[in-house]
Amino acid sequence: MDSPILEPSLYTVKAVLILDNDGDRLYAKYYDDTYPTVKEQKAFEKNIFNKTHRTDSEIALLEGLTVVYKSNIDLFFYVIGSSHENELMLMAVLNCLFDSLSQMLRKNVERRALLENMEGLFLAVDEIVDGGVILESDPQQVVHRVALRGDDVPLTEQTVTQVRHLLPSIHSLTEKIKLVSSGAP
Amino acid sequence: MIKKFDKKDEESGSGSNPFQHLEKSAVLQEARIFNETPINPRRCLHILTKIIYLLNQGEHFGTMEATEAFFAMTRLFQSNDQTLRRMCYLTIKELANLSEDVIIVTSSLTKDMTGKEDVYRGPAIRALCRITDTTMLQAIERYMKQAIVDKVPSVSSSALVSSLHMVKMSYDVVKRWVNEAQEAASSDNVMVQYHALGLLYHLRKNDRLAVTKMLNKFTKSGLKSPFAYCMLIRIASKLLDETEGGHDSPLFDFIESCLRNKNEMVVYEAASAIVHMPNCTARELAPAVSVLQLFCSSPKAALRYAAVRTLNKVAMKHPSAVTACNLDLENLITDSNRSIATLAITTLLKTGSESSVDRLMKQISSFVSEISDEFKVVVVQAISALCQKYPRKHSVMMNFLSNMLRDDGGFDYKRAIVDCIISIIEENPDSKETGLAHLCEFIEDCEHTVLATKILHLLGKEGPRTPQPSKYIRFIFNRVVLESEAVRAAAVSALAKFGAQNDDLLPSVLVLMQRCMMDSDDEVRDRATFYMNVLQQKQKALNAAYIFNGLSVSIPGLEKSLHQYTLEPSEKPFDMKSVPLATAPLSEQKMEMAPVATSKLPEKLAPSRQDIYQEQLASIPEFQSLGPLFKSSDPVQLTEAETEYVVRCIKHTFSKHMVFQFDCTNTLNDQLLQKVVVQMEPSESYEVLHYVPAANLPYSQPGSCYTLVRLPDDDPTAVSCTFSCTMKYLVRDCDPNTGEPDDDGYDDEYVLEDLEVTVADHIQKVLKPNFGAAWEEVGEDNEKEETFALASVRTLEEAVGNIISFLGMQPCERSDKVPENKNSHVLFLAGVFRGAHDVLVRARLALADGVTMQVTVRSSDETVVDIILASVG
């Protein structure tokens, strides 16, 4: 049989890719030297995109690697591992990445929103995979750790709903201030 | 997935990408604002994002540029903006290999990793470990130990994973953190548990006892993390594989119990582990197969894919075990994921009955053009397996294959088809002509030189023996006219074979040869001239030696010998017999039934095992005068696998000597062995000349010692001998942890099993593609014949196997395969005896209440004939 017993290792993910609907790279992180040069990487990405962008399936075997993927509007997410890797582990990484981004972008997972929040993406991937090892697979934890604070976004850029969310807390704050001041002799 | 296009397309295309047309130099220019006070977090953040984006796009940063950006960035540590700080960590990691002097941020990072902000601590550890080397690591060791057992999961996980990365670089330092990792393994957090387990295994993997203990502990206490369970399953199955323990061990029970886990990931991992175990019985497979069967109807494509792919693997060895899933697999034939559909069909091809073959083939040809090359190869392999199972179906298969051959496809795909057709031809003589015709058609329009030459070679070998050899000449000669040099040269060689075998074609072949002598390429011209002259002699012996059965020497060996010859000019002509022989004849490579995805194999021609030994032995001064290495045996185990010292021996035969190479491994971690030799006591008149000791044999690092023996001159027939072997050495006890040995030691010895030298050690296998021609070439001068009765052997296959392994010769003309239901068989064997004497053996076997064998031996040397007959008797 082809695969000897899998060498037990935490190194699971070979690459994480995000391409746009022209197949251009928006994000790519390779964790080992399967594709050492940029040229080889881009060729691989092109091949991957050509083979997957028309189909709705979520898994494929390409160039001897297992590729799990997911598309949304104009974005294509890929997680790549060895062909002997547990496909469901790779799937867990893909789902975590997608769900984290979905929360961070407020369900608005599309190219423009992503480009406006590139630092969030960088930080999220950094929290999900470290050097090929799955660091975290729970999107809640990832979002929590990335901790993109909304408050350094100027008020004008915030949506009305957000401001509404803020209002009750301002109310309670004023209540507290009143309490404190009234409690004082 | 629902694709929504209702989004307002105000800014279509690339216009909305704020990072498009970023200029590296402009961004680096912008990075100067990092030095402005006060720091503007938002702008700085944006610039760092741009830098990382550029790096991510594959933009190259020079050392100067990277260093400058890096140093500017360090100033941003003064800001307390959280996101900005996090981006600084990322930038450090990205630039760690590009910039110089990255270690200057060590103190800032150390401060963050021990600080109060939990959000900083994890990422700071990861960034710090990225820029740390072994010497620096000692300085932060204390903090790392604390971080591993930290209560905050992200901190602990980061420390564990970073430690794992650093094991490669500083094993000795990280090894000291085992206790902390142990503590982390009992954490409540699922990821911490997983990472701790991974690190612990990595630190202990060379110590089987420790791994076993660890497994016992975790399998009993139970884990929370599905990832950790998968890891445990892998460790357990590796341990099972190494110990070769029976499947009744607690490890197997553990893996099987995981089939009932709540998490699909764990269940699948366990099923896959069981399926991949060697020698698994059908009963042990059954529970794994039934969970995979359930997965086949999962709504998740990945799970269906994983299940059907694993079932496909099961079907290769145990088709009957998968039959129960046939119905579920049938449902997957129309799966929208073509990969799943292909795997389902190929699995069914293996498990289904002969009657379903036609239907499945029709189904698969309907979408074969849509699937990727990898899966086309899977299909071809399935067909190849099918042909072996149902030889009667070969005409259907051949048709299908020839259609696939006409479609577009990459090299691997085409090669798989060609290999498959060739194997069908070899298995079924009646398919030979159709097969050859398909291949002829294929090379008419074939862009792959390798395949064209391979097919031409096959045509040269098989074509002349078909009823109508003349029809192939046209196809071959077309290649001479149309193709590249390599193909033309191969075509010329193929033509020559037709000329040599078929007298009535010879005149026409000579005419064509004449034309080839005008070719524009040297190689083609040379070959044509050479063959022309050989053919004109019209001598069978010449044809056999130079056209049918080419050189049998090892190519790297020949290169080396020729190089040596040119360095030391001498009057003597170059002696072909001094060149070591090729060990693995080319046609012997079996097509491995590798399912899916082995396309990443290294393609370069590796030097053979024997060439490597030749090199190693030549570097030892004592062995330099022995001449070329004639043969190296396979390793023979001289100890049990589980003993204190593991020793195996490789027998190297030279023309007048033998060298025994003992590969020894010391499995005691509290001992250092020195001056290790293996003392040998021969039973015959063999003379031990010299011992080359292994100076040091530390724990688990294999070392080799050698013994040089002279073969008896006076009695050339004394080919077999038994040696009793004892390993002698000096023991120095040492500390198992540090490996520091005591000052003085004591002598000790260890008795090994006896070592046998047999006739097979004196004979090298050589493949004669045309045995008949070789038989005539050697002639009957030294022919001898004897008849033996093999009373203990019951079948012809067994007899053939015994003779081959006993004589160590190469079976030719596929005579090692005994056709079914026959009670007589002829086996052809070829080899070269030590001292460069060709030996050919023809053994006629007849089955009747035991096997009767008539052996005829021919050789260029009479003594050799006697030796062989004497040893068979």
Side-chain angles (χ1 to χ4, degrees):
Chain A
M1 233 166 253
D2 66 332
S3 69
I5 302 288
L6 269 181
E7 176 62 28
S9 157
L10 296 188
Y11 294 93
T12 308
V13 181
K14 281 174 178 289
V16 174
L17 306 175
I18 301 177
L19 307 179
D20 68 10
N21 57 356
D22 297 322
D24 288 328
R25 176 194 283 192
L26 291 178
Y27 180 82
K29 188 93 190 154
Y30 289 81
Y31 296 103
D32 66 3
D33 43 11
T34 313
Y35 298 96
T37 65
V38 178
K39 205 175 144 203
E40 288 166 90
Q41 294 175 359
K42 295 260 164 121
F44 173 64
E45 284 157 32
K46 194 168 167 222
N47 184 14
I48 254 191
F49 183 75
N50 287 338
K51 291 273 159 58
T52 55
H53 78 284
R54 271 188 301 267
T55 56
D56 262 353
S57 24
E58 57 182 40
I59 187 159
L61 184 77
L62 280 169
E63 306 189 13
L65 301 169
T66 297
V67 178
V68 294
Y69 58 98
K70 192 181 185 89
S71 65
N72 196 47
I73 308 179
D74 49 4
L75 290 176
F76 291 82
F77 297 82
Y78 300 89
V79 174
I80 291 135
S82 140
S83 63
H84 307 306
E85 194 46 76
N86 187 329
E87 288 86 350
L88 302 182
M89 279 198 179
L90 299 175
M91 222 41 212
V93 175
L94 179 70
N95 288 334
C96 175
L97 172 67
F98 187 84
D99 295 344
S100 311
L101 282 178
S102 175
Q103 279 194 42
M104 286 160 55
L105 303 176
R106 302 193 189 85
K107 301 246 158 87
N108 209 2
V109 186
E110 45 113 16
R111 184 169 174 272
R112 235 183 94 193
L114 184 73
L115 281 169
E116 280 164 10
N117 286 286
M118 279 311 260
E119 67 275 10
L121 167 68
F122 293 149
L123 293 176
V125 178
D126 184 54
E127 288 293 345
I128 297 170
V129 186
D130 184 74
V133 179
I134 304 176
L135 197 60
E136 183 54 72
S137 62
D138 177 5
Q140 297 300 339
Q141 285 295 326
V142 173
V143 173
H144 171 71
R145 286 183 202 168
V146 169
L148 271 186
R149 286 180 309 174
D151 55 356
D152 56 351
V153 182
L155 214 59
T156 47
E157 287 183 19
Q158 291 182 13
T159 58
V160 183
T161 39
Q162 271 180 293
V163 179
R164 251 190 234 137
H165 274 298
L166 284 175
L167 284 176
S169 56
I170 294 172
H171 279 303
S172 66
L173 208 66
T174 39
E175 291 295 312
K176 274 181 198 155
I177 295 168
K178 277 179 200 159
L179 278 172
V180 171
S181 50
S182 63
Chain B
M1 254 147 284
I2 319 139
K3 291 197 180 164
K4 283 191 277 178
F5 288 104
D6 56 353
K7 185 95 182 99
K8 273 170 269 161
D9 232 356
E10 331 104 317
E11 289 160 279
S12 62
S14 54
S16 60
N17 185 349
F19 296 101
Q20 191 141 57
H21 311 303
L22 268 191
E23 278 284 334
K24 177 177 68 174
S25 50
V27 174
L28 290 173
Q29 193 81 22
E30 275 186 280
R32 293 203 176 153
I33 66 149
F34 293 169
N35 287 319
E36 282 172 13
T37 346
I39 293 169
N40 177 341
R42 279 186 60 76
R43 279 189 65 196
C44 293
L45 180 64
H46 196 59
I47 293 162
L48 282 184
T49 310
K50 282 183 186 169
I51 292 178
I52 297 180
Y53 184 86
L54 281 176
L55 285 165
N56 207 273
Q57 288 293 321
E59 189 84 39
H60 177 74
F61 278 57
T63 313
M64 276 281 284
E65 292 167 325
T67 312
E68 218 164 278
F70 184 83
F71 274 72
M73 181 275 303
T74 55
R75 228 194 127 254
L76 301 181
F77 271 91
Q78 291 175 8
S79 161
N80 279 327
D81 185 272
Q82 271 197 7
T83 316
L84 183 62
R85 182 71 60 88
R86 297 288 314 277
M87 286 301 280
C88 285
Y89 301 145
L90 272 191
T91 319
I92 292 171
K93 289 206 274 189
E94 294 285 337
L95 291 177
N97 289 334
L98 300 170
S99 161
E100 288 174 335
D101 300 325
V102 285
I103 51 167
I104 62 148
V105 288
T106 305
S107 64
S108 310
L109 289 173
T110 319
K111 210 174 102 203
D112 282 355
M113 94 181 244
T114 53
K116 286 203 185 67
E117 282 276 16
D118 284 345
V119 186
Y120 289 162
R121 295 173 62 204
I125 291 171
R126 301 202 298 272
L128 180 60
C129 289
R130 192 77 175 68
I131 59 165
T132 301
D133 57 22
T134 308
T135 46
M136 297 285 300
L137 190 58
Q138 317 248 5
I140 58 161
E141 187 176 357
R142 187 162 55 94
Y143 304 120
M144 285 301 289
K145 281 183 171 182
Q146 281 166 9
I148 290 176
V149 293
D150 199 281
K151 275 196 282 300
V152 180
S154 73
V155 176
S156 180
S157 272
S158 296
L160 287 164
V161 173
S162 301
S163 308
L164 182 67
H165 295 323
M166 286 188 303
V167 168
K168 282 179 224 122
M169 183 182 78
S170 343
Y171 176 80
D172 292 326
V173 182
V174 181
K175 201 173 65 181
R176 299 200 288 256
W177 308 346
V178 166
N179 289 336
E180 282 75 13
Q182 188 87 51
E183 196 183 325
S186 47
S187 158
D188 279 341
N189 183 282
V190 287
M191 292 318 281
V192 174
Q193 211 172 52
Y194 170 56
H195 296 140
L197 178 64
L199 179 64
L200 281 175
Y201 173 70
H202 222 73
L203 291 175
R204 289 173 173 171
K205 65 179 168 191
N206 292 324
D207 184 351
R208 193 180 293 161
L209 198 68
V211 174
T212 317
K213 270 190 201 156
M214 183 171 89
L215 265 180
N216 282 340
K217 183 175 165 232
F218 288 121
T219 50
K220 283 211 189 74
S221 64
L223 294 164
K224 278 169 133 189
S225 157
F227 293 109
Y229 261 112
C230 291
M231 183 76 186
L232 269 189
I233 292 170
R234 285 182 201 181
I235 299 174
S237 62
K238 184 161 192 283
L239 211 60
L240 261 182
D241 185 51
E242 283 173 353
T243 51
E244 288 156 21
H247 291 168
D248 47 358
S249 89
L251 291 176
F252 186 82
D253 294 341
F254 163 70
I255 298 178
E256 204 179 21
S257 74
C258 290
L259 289 174
R260 294 181 291 277
N261 194 289
K262 281 198 293 286
N263 195 301
E264 282 169 342
M265 188 194 290
V266 180
V267 177
Y268 169 62
E269 184 75 42
S272 162
I274 293 176
V275 166
H276 282 102
M277 272 176 209
N279 350 308
C280 220
T281 62
R283 200 175 55 83
E284 285 159 339
L285 276 174
V289 170
S290 60
V291 298
L292 292 172
Q293 183 177 10
L294 277 180
F295 288 162
C296 280
S297 45
S298 159
K300 295 181 196 157
L303 195 53
R304 290 199 305 275
Y305 171 90
V308 69
R309 206 177 139 208
T310 313
L311 283 175
N312 193 12
K313 281 181 192 152
V314 182
M316 282 181 195
K317 270 197 184 165
H318 304 277
S320 54
V322 190
T323 336
C325 310
N326 277 2
L327 210 63
D328 305 78
L329 291 169
E330 290 275 355
N331 291 333
L332 294 180
I333 290 182
T334 46
D335 201 289
S336 65
N337 185 324
R338 289 308 189 200
S339 308
I340 296 176
T342 314
L343 284 168
I345 291 179
T346 50
T347 312
L348 281 171
L349 283 176
K350 288 176 198 127
T351 62
S353 60
E354 195 167 351
S355 56
S356 63
V357 169
D358 294 298
R359 182 175 59 87
L360 291 168
M361 295 296 272
K362 199 179 264 172
Q363 178 84 31
I364 205 165
S365 43
S366 67
F367 65 81
V368 79
S369 57
E370 292 173 42
I371 55 179
S372 68
D373 269 13
E374 270 90 351
F375 282 106
K376 286 182 185 165
V377 175
V378 177
V379 173
V380 175
Q381 285 170 344
I383 292 173
S384 170
L386 207 56
C387 294
Q388 282 171 6
K389 201 162 138 204
Y390 304 121
R392 272 182 301 166
K393 285 278 167 197
H394 67 76
S395 61
V396 185
M397 304 296 166
M398 199 61 108
N399 244 330
F400 184 76
L401 287 171
S402 67
N403 282 333
M404 286 174 95
L405 209 46
R406 281 188 210 114
D407 290 339
D408 290 335
F411 171 67
D412 285 322
Y413 171 47
K414 296 278 159 137
R415 188 179 57 183
I417 303 176
V418 169
D419 285 342
C420 183
I421 294 185
I422 292 177
S423 76
I424 295 178
I425 292 175
E426 286 177 346
E427 300 285 331
N428 311 286
D430 26 325
S431 67
K432 191 188 278 180
E433 281 195 63
T434 23
L436 288 180
H438 287 311
L439 292 175
C440 280
E441 188 195 330
F442 173 60
I443 54 169
E444 287 283 294
D445 180 23
C446 168
E447 53 188 323
H448 307 293
T449 310
V450 182
L451 292 181
T453 50
K454 187 170 186 170
I455 292 171
L456 283 168
H457 178 76
L458 180 79
L459 284 177
K461 202 171 110 200
E462 300 291 342
R465 293 188 239 178
T466 54
Q468 264 191 305
S470 58
K471 68 176 176 189
Y472 300 108
I473 302 275
R474 179 173 66 86
F475 290 103
I476 299 175
F477 192 67
N478 276 348
R479 306 277 64 73
V480 179
V481 186
L482 299 166
E483 299 275 356
S484 66
E485 295 82 9
V487 181
R488 293 206 300 272
V492 168
S493 302
L495 271 183
K497 287 185 184 145
F498 281 86
Q501 186 113 344
N502 306 89
D503 289 336
D504 45 333
L505 289 177
L506 184 60
S508 350
V509 169
L510 285 176
V511 173
L512 296 175
M513 268 314 163
Q514 197 105 43
R515 278 199 222 164
C516 300
M517 283 161 68
M518 251 83 87
D519 196 279
S520 59
D521 182 72
D522 301 351
E523 173 69 23
V524 182
R525 271 200 315 272
D526 290 352
R527 283 199 192 188
T529 316
F530 173 73
Y531 288 131
M532 180 87 185
N533 284 305
V534 175
L535 286 174
Q536 278 169 340
Q537 305 300 316
K538 296 186 183 163
Q539 286 184 23
K540 281 255 148 66
L542 283 180
N543 285 349
Y546 294 113
I547 298 182
F548 294 125
N549 303 324
L551 287 178
S552 53
V553 294
S554 111
I555 302 297
L558 177 61
E559 189 185 344
K560 211 170 287 163
S561 306
L562 284 172
H563 181 65
Q564 199 63 35
Y565 184 74
T566 51
L567 287 181
E568 297 160 6
S570 76
E571 293 296 307
K572 278 196 302 183
F574 179 72
D575 184 9
M576 205 59 188
K577 290 185 173 171
S578 69
V579 181
L581 295 163
T583 32
L586 288 171
S587 64
E588 218 190 15
Q589 36 178 252
K590 272 246 154 128
M591 206 179 83
E592 266 295 306
M593 290 304 297
V596 193
T598 37
S599 59
K600 296 228 143 223
L601 288 176
E603 297 261 335
K604 72 168 193 238
L605 179 77
S608 70
R609 188 171 145 261
Q610 182 159 353
D611 293 323
I612 298 169
Y613 286 135
Q614 165 99 20
E615 195 104 312
Q616 283 174 356
L617 292 175
S619 63
I620 299 169
E622 283 83 353
F623 303 146
Q624 272 167 359
S625 56
L626 300 181
L629 175 59
F630 176 73
K631 180 182 185 176
S632 297
S633 73
D634 287 331
V636 185
Q637 298 293 346
L638 296 184
T639 56
E640 303 283 323
E642 301 281 316
T643 45
E644 300 94 307
Y645 312 115
V646 179
V647 180
R648 52 176 212 166
C649 177
I650 299 163
K651 297 172 270 186
H652 301 290
T653 313
F654 290 84
S655 60
K656 292 204 167 62
H657 300 85
M658 285 187 89
V659 170
F660 299 95
Q661 173 184 345
F662 296 95
D663 293 338
C664 317
T665 313
N666 167 14
T667 62
L668 300 176
N669 62 0
D670 56 354
Q671 281 192 0
L672 169 69
L673 307 190
Q674 291 186 314
K675 299 180 197 151
V676 185
V677 291
V678 175
Q679 193 166 9
M680 303 177 78
E681 294 293 336
S683 65
E684 304 285 325
S685 57
Y686 283 48
E687 186 189 350
V688 177
L689 292 181
H690 192 76
Y691 292 109
V692 179
N696 280 309
L697 202 61
Y699 164 59
S700 85
Q701 286 175 24
S704 300
C705 60
Y706 301 89
T707 307
L708 173 63
V709 168
R710 184 166 65 215
L711 299 168
D713 285 333
D714 43 341
D715 181 13
T717 52
V719 288
S720 50
C721 180
T722 308
F723 292 89
S724 49
C725 306
T726 316
M727 184 161 81
K728 299 200 165 182
Y729 44 84
L730 177 79
V731 183
R732 290 175 71 186
D733 291 326
C734 60
D735 185 331
N737 292 321
T738 60
E740 207 51 50
D742 288 351
D743 290 335
D744 32 53
Y746 51 93
D747 287 319
D748 201 355
E749 58 179 53
Y750 189 81
V751 178
L752 305 174
E753 281 170 36
D754 288 353
L755 181 68
E756 304 269 353
V757 172
T758 63
V759 65
D761 291 315
H762 302 270
I763 300 176
Q764 178 67 280
K765 293 179 176 184
V766 170
L767 181 75
K768 299 281 184 193
N770 190 327
F771 187 81
W775 187 253
E776 293 307 320
E777 181 196 346
V778 173
E780 53 194 336
D781 299 348
N782 298 319
E783 182 180 294
K784 286 195 182 170
E785 196 171 83
E786 241 175 276
T787 308
F788 303 90
L790 310 173
S792 61
V793 183
R794 290 275 148 246
T795 64
L796 288 176
E797 284 90 349
E798 196 183 340
V800 166
N802 285 352
I803 300 168
I804 294 172
S805 67
F806 179 73
L807 288 177
M809 292 170 75
Q810 176 68 35
C812 299
E813 310 276 344
R814 305 180 65 80
S815 62
D816 52 331
K817 291 206 172 156
V818 183
E820 275 175 52
N821 306 328
K822 284 271 183 73
N823 47 18
S824 66
H825 182 67
V826 187
L827 173 68
F828 301 111
L829 296 172
V832 171
F833 193 81
R834 177 169 56 79
H837 304 293
D838 272 329
V839 194
L840 300 172
V841 171
R842 187 182 64 199
R844 294 178 200 271
L845 303 162
L847 180 71
D849 206 36
V851 174
T852 317
M853 171 171 77
Q854 183 193 46
V855 179
T856 315
V857 186
R858 285 185 175 187
S859 168
S860 46
D861 185 81
E862 197 183 351
T863 343
V864 176
V865 176
D866 293 334
I867 294 172
I868 304 256
L869 283 178
S871 61
V872 173

